[in-house]
Amino acid sequence: MRRKIIVKLLFAGAMLAGISNSFAQEVKENNQEQFGEFINRKGTFTRSASGKPNVGYWQNKADYQIAVTLDDQAHTLSGNITLTYTNNSPESLDFIWMQMEQNRFKEDSRGTLTTPVQGNRYNGDTDGGFDVTNLKAKVGSKGSVSSKYIDSDTRMQVWFNEPIPAKGGVATVSMDFSFKVPVEGMDRMGRLEVEDGWIYAFAQWYPKVAVFDDIEGWNVEPYLGAGEFYLEYGNFDYKVTVPYDHIVVGSGELLNPKEVLSKELQNRYAAAQKSDSTIMLITADEIGNTELTRPKQDGTVTWHFAIKNSRDIAFGSSRAFIWDAAKINLPSGKSVLAQSAYPKESDGQEAWARSTEYSKASIEHYSSMWFEFPYATATNVAADIGGMEYPGLNFCSYNSKGAGLWGVTDHEFGHNWFPMIVGTNERRYAWMDEGFNSFINHYSTLAFNDGEYPSALNETRRYLNFFTSETREGIDTYPDVVNVSNLGMLAYRKPAMGLLMLREYILGHERFDNAFKSYIKEWAYKHPQPTDFFNLMENVAGENLSWFWQGWFYGTGNIDLGVVSVIPYAGNYVVVLENKGDMPMPVQMEITFEDGSTELKMLPVEIWQRGDTWNYLLKTDKKVKSVVVDPNKILPDINLGNDSWPQDIYEK
């Protein structure tokens, strides 16, 4: 620091004495450690250096047929599943691993044993877990049947009597299963009792195959809490049998409305599919009127759903649902259905009566701006869950209202793009779904109803306490490892701010949007890694951003740009800039002249390659009044005191 001060004093003295008419930059070897590539991002046979899936890219496929029955007296779900698994990998497989996430709700589960004594958001009941019987596994249509499997916490290894052949071999696994539905379901599922009955939110409710990929082989991290999901794509056909007076809403398309809805309800359902405004399917006053809304008055009814090219399914069931719906208009000219299911405790124009309006606006915005929504329905379900997303279906808090309900609805529907369409590994890289989604939420919120609700993502300097905290961690910290108090910043806000800086400050809208849309298109229904994202963004945007990925996504350093002085020079001015932060950044300056006019200048990040100060020659015949760095305050610059010249200290 002493050496920097001496250099600046000599520099200013030379100017005042007229000794030199040249400006020597501060002497330093270079800043190449900030600009060099520290991540191995070379292309492979499966993933190209341009960020696209390469000629050898493969992923396995998982198709499911499921039939379950809900017992709302014992609060259990039971049924059977048949998984058809296609091994597209270049190696044969002797076994597969399956995710058994209901086993998290056991007293001796790893998730339970790693939950702090004081608890956290991911509290869960401990008297549940899967009961599996009648497991049968075979390769091909004529293979011998194996019943061998090993339970390991929230994973199950299923063995075959012969390997599943590489490059297209097919195996099937079937089993019966049941579990007790938890009340506290880790804020992702469970059941809630309201005046008119129980609301069941079913997620992580069936055994599902783990991902086998070209990066890790089998991805078998246990389900602990903060880490979410990483799943294969396939087609789902599932049937849910419930008491006759229940309404069921689920991922995908309802295939048998004539069998589960009364004639009156069928008519309303059809009308909603053609209406841009919300149509009431079941009103608050009609909740108990089963003769009007149900096709039978006793026993059970089976609801049949299907969804294609999906990575998961979820559903809600209750006799307490108000139900409404409206049409979603997609850019291709197609339309799908937005619908909401909620109890009368959540009703009201300030609350869930606007849920379908919010849902429709959210899906239409993302479809228009980024990539078209691919599923038949977008369903919002009120439950005792803060907010959790599944393909085409959300669970959101039944207590949410106004801006809060818009925010959680929009956020959970945004997850249909990340990670439902772009199938990232949430259990390892929470920032690739939560952060990317928080970023697109910013623009959907600005667009909704001419800005009815605010978005504060661009107010990055509100979070300087985190950026200067000694306990801050890097974005790349795994969600199950990160300090719980840091999770919101590391998974959501900081990566979203990173994309905001790229779009609003570094690349501009056109270059960023071209690259981001290309990333979604190229990796739709596939499994990108962080390096795939970095490579693709650089290749399409035409910019080496290694310094940015390294500094923002893989470090804990901060931004601190400043204006040291503005010195008259040969009829012009020299603006002396400094980078006191841990990472470089382009410098946008707003120059204000004595006549009131202003001028924006953008200096590239490369000015910092050889040192931490830069002298910019401002050619002008006007008198400079002030200079401000980052005038729109996009950057979370941790030092507000050196952003402008003149500074108050010099004016006194």
Side-chain angles (χ1 to χ4, degrees):
M1 179 59 72
R2 175 178 171 80
R3 183 169 163 275
K4 287 187 178 182
I5 293 171
I6 291 172
V7 171
K8 291 170 186 173
L9 288 173
L10 289 173
F11 173 82
M15 282 301 303
L16 293 173
I19 295 173
S20 173
N21 57 5
S22 64
F23 290 84
Q25 299 297 145
E26 179 184 356
V27 177
K28 184 174 180 178
E29 288 184 6
N30 59 57
N31 279 332
Q32 205 53 42
E33 75 280 356
Q34 294 177 327
F35 287 88
E37 184 60 74
F38 81 109
I39 312 169
N40 182 4
R41 289 163 51 195
K42 295 180 180 178
T44 68
F45 182 60
T46 56
R47 297 164 189 270
S48 73
S50 68
K52 297 180 181 181
N54 212 345
V55 292
Y57 180 81
W58 56 266
Q59 69 185 48
N60 294 344
K61 188 172 187 285
D63 298 322
Y64 296 86
Q65 286 189 311
I66 311 173
V68 290
T69 298
L70 170 64
D71 183 337
D72 68 345
Q73 300 302 309
H75 303 302
T76 60
L77 191 74
S78 60
N80 58 76
I81 179 173
T82 298
L83 161 68
T84 301
Y85 185 73
T86 304
N87 176 24
N88 293 316
S89 81
E91 60 184 283
S92 61
L93 300 175
D94 295 315
F95 56 81
I96 65 172
W97 281 98
M98 299 191 73
Q99 301 283 359
M100 307 294 286
E101 287 143 348
Q102 282 299 312
N103 288 343
R104 169 62 175 79
F105 302 108
K106 290 185 174 182
E107 190 172 11
D108 61 350
S109 74
R110 292 191 188 189
T112 299
L113 296 175
T114 56
T115 298
V117 173
Q118 69 272 23
N120 57 30
R121 172 185 171 185
Y122 307 106
N123 291 337
D125 290 357
T126 57
D127 60 346
F130 276 126
D131 180 19
V132 171
T133 58
N134 198 29
L135 184 143
K136 298 177 181 178
K138 68 176 183 178
V139 174
S141 59
K142 299 180 180 179
S144 61
V145 175
S146 168
S147 59
K148 180 181 177 181
Y149 68 93
I150 301 172
D151 267 325
S152 179
D153 192 55
T154 57
R155 294 78 46 87
M156 180 171 72
Q157 188 180 34
V158 178
W159 289 82
F160 299 90
N161 289 336
E162 55 192 290
I164 310 173
K167 299 181 180 181
V170 176
T172 57
V173 177
S174 63
M175 70 188 83
D176 298 329
F177 68 95
S178 64
F179 63 91
K180 180 182 177 182
V181 185
V183 175
E184 284 196 80
M186 296 177 59
D187 205 23
R188 295 204 168 106
M189 64 159 301
R191 52 190 165 97
L192 165 70
E193 189 172 21
V194 294
E195 182 178 332
D196 293 307
W198 287 91
I199 294 175
Y200 293 89
F202 283 103
Q204 290 78 59
W205 58 276
Y206 61 96
K208 60 191 74 169
V209 71
V211 172
F212 183 77
D213 64 21
D214 60 312
I215 303 298
E216 297 288 336
W218 285 107
N219 287 258
V220 291
E221 285 86 0
Y223 181 37
L224 299 178
E228 292 187 348
F229 311 106
Y230 186 36
L231 303 167
E232 295 287 15
Y233 287 92
N235 300 328
F236 292 79
D237 186 294
Y238 65 107
K239 296 178 180 179
V240 181
T241 299
V242 296
Y244 76 94
D245 55 354
H246 275 228
I247 292 294
V248 180
V249 288
S251 297
E253 181 181 5
L254 175 62
L255 299 183
N256 63 337
K258 293 182 180 179
E259 296 176 20
V260 297
L261 308 179
S262 68
K263 186 64 177 176
E264 174 63 25
L265 204 47
Q266 290 176 45
N267 292 337
R268 297 179 186 181
Y269 191 72
Q273 292 173 320
K274 300 177 182 179
S275 174
D276 285 313
S277 58
T278 301
I279 298 292
M280 297 305 302
L281 304 180
I282 297 178
T283 68
D285 293 337
E286 294 170 343
I287 286 176
N289 189 352
T290 59
E291 291 185 357
L292 176 68
T293 59
R294 310 300 202 275
K296 55 185 294 188
Q297 303 305 307
D298 58 15
T300 61
V301 174
T302 298
W303 297 64
H304 188 187
F305 299 90
I307 187 170
K308 293 182 178 180
N309 210 11
S310 180
R311 54 180 257 162
D312 201 0
I313 49 174
F315 70 93
S317 181
S318 181
R319 60 171 53 88
F321 280 152
I322 297 170
W323 189 17
D324 63 40
K327 178 181 66 167
I328 295 171
N329 301 297
L330 299 177
S332 65
K334 296 191 300 184
S335 64
V336 295
L337 190 69
Q339 57 182 352
S340 300
Y342 49 97
K344 65 185 180 185
E345 287 86 347
S346 305
D347 197 11
Q349 278 301 310
E350 76 288 355
W352 274 77
R354 294 189 69 186
S355 168
T356 293
E357 175 195 353
Y358 296 160
S359 304
K360 171 182 167 67
S362 182
I363 298 293
E364 288 179 347
H365 171 85
Y366 298 130
S367 295
S368 176
M369 189 161 184
W370 303 115
F371 188 93
E372 184 162 299
F373 181 73
Y375 304 123
T377 53
T379 305
N380 209 19
V381 182
D384 192 16
I385 297 167
M388 189 61 201
E389 75 283 354
Y390 300 93
L393 185 141
N394 306 330
F395 297 122
C396 295
S397 174
Y398 75 109
N399 289 319
S400 290
K401 296 180 179 181
L405 181 58
W406 158 259
V408 69
T409 299
D410 181 56
H411 179 79
E412 306 311 335
F413 275 129
H415 274 304
N416 279 275
W417 282 261
F418 310 101
M420 305 307 166
I421 294 172
V422 181
T424 49
N425 185 345
E426 301 175 88
R427 199 156 288 178
R428 289 193 172 208
Y429 309 115
W431 60 271
M432 292 186 76
D433 74 292
E434 298 294 358
F436 288 21
N437 184 29
S438 297
F439 166 74
I440 65 174
N441 297 159
H442 172 65
Y443 296 99
S444 60
T445 298
L446 295 179
F448 175 67
N449 208 15
D450 295 324
E452 179 177 352
Y453 301 123
S455 175
L457 182 65
N458 58 340
E459 298 175 16
T460 59
R461 300 189 183 192
R462 295 175 57 180
Y463 303 100
L464 295 189
N465 285 342
F466 167 82
F467 289 116
T468 56
S469 168
E470 293 184 358
T471 61
R472 67 186 186 274
E473 300 166 276
I475 287 174
D476 58 318
T477 309
Y478 284 4
D480 281 318
V481 177
V482 71
N483 186 315
V484 174
S485 63
N486 287 338
L487 184 63
M489 279 298 302
L490 298 183
Y492 296 75
R493 295 187 192 92
K494 188 178 179 184
M497 289 179 195
L499 298 188
L500 183 83
M501 288 189 283
L502 282 175
R503 188 173 194 261
E504 302 293 343
Y505 190 90
I506 298 170
L507 296 176
H509 289 190
E510 185 173 16
R511 292 170 70 198
F512 178 90
D513 290 358
N514 286 340
F516 202 57
K517 289 177 182 178
S518 179
Y519 169 68
I520 298 171
K521 178 182 177 182
E522 293 294 340
W523 288 100
Y525 316 110
K526 297 182 178 70
H527 297 313
Q529 296 290 308
T531 53
D532 298 317
F533 172 69
F534 300 151
N535 287 342
L536 194 144
M537 291 296 292
E538 289 189 8
N539 275 266
V540 178
E543 193 77 27
N544 184 340
L545 296 165
S546 297
W547 56 272
F548 186 70
W549 312 131
Q550 176 176 339
W552 193 254
F553 287 89
Y554 285 84
T556 58
N558 287 309
I559 299 168
D560 183 4
L561 301 177
V563 186
V564 177
S565 59
V566 179
I567 303 170
Y569 173 67
N572 296 293
Y573 291 89
V574 169
V575 180
V576 183
L577 302 167
E578 64 179 351
N579 175 24
K580 297 177 67 177
D582 306 295
M583 61 180 290
M585 187 64 63
V587 178
Q588 185 181 74
M589 297 183 293
E590 182 179 66
I591 300 109
T592 301
F593 300 99
E594 286 285 356
D595 63 5
S597 61
T598 60
E599 187 174 351
L600 274 179
K601 295 288 185 182
M602 189 70 160
L603 304 185
V605 70
E606 287 83 2
I607 63 174
W608 307 120
Q609 286 191 127
R610 295 184 180 87
D612 295 329
T613 62
W614 184 257
N615 302 321
Y616 172 68
L617 179 60
L618 174 63
K619 296 181 179 180
T620 180
D621 56 2
K622 298 180 179 181
K623 186 175 181 180
V624 175
K625 180 180 180 182
S626 64
V627 176
V628 177
V629 169
D630 184 23
N632 296 317
K633 302 296 182 284
I634 297 297
L635 306 180
D637 191 308
I638 62 167
N639 183 2
L640 310 182
N642 64 350
D643 287 358
S644 60
W645 175 91
Q647 297 175 17
D648 290 343
I649 187 172
Y650 298 118
E651 294 181 336
K652 293 179 181 178

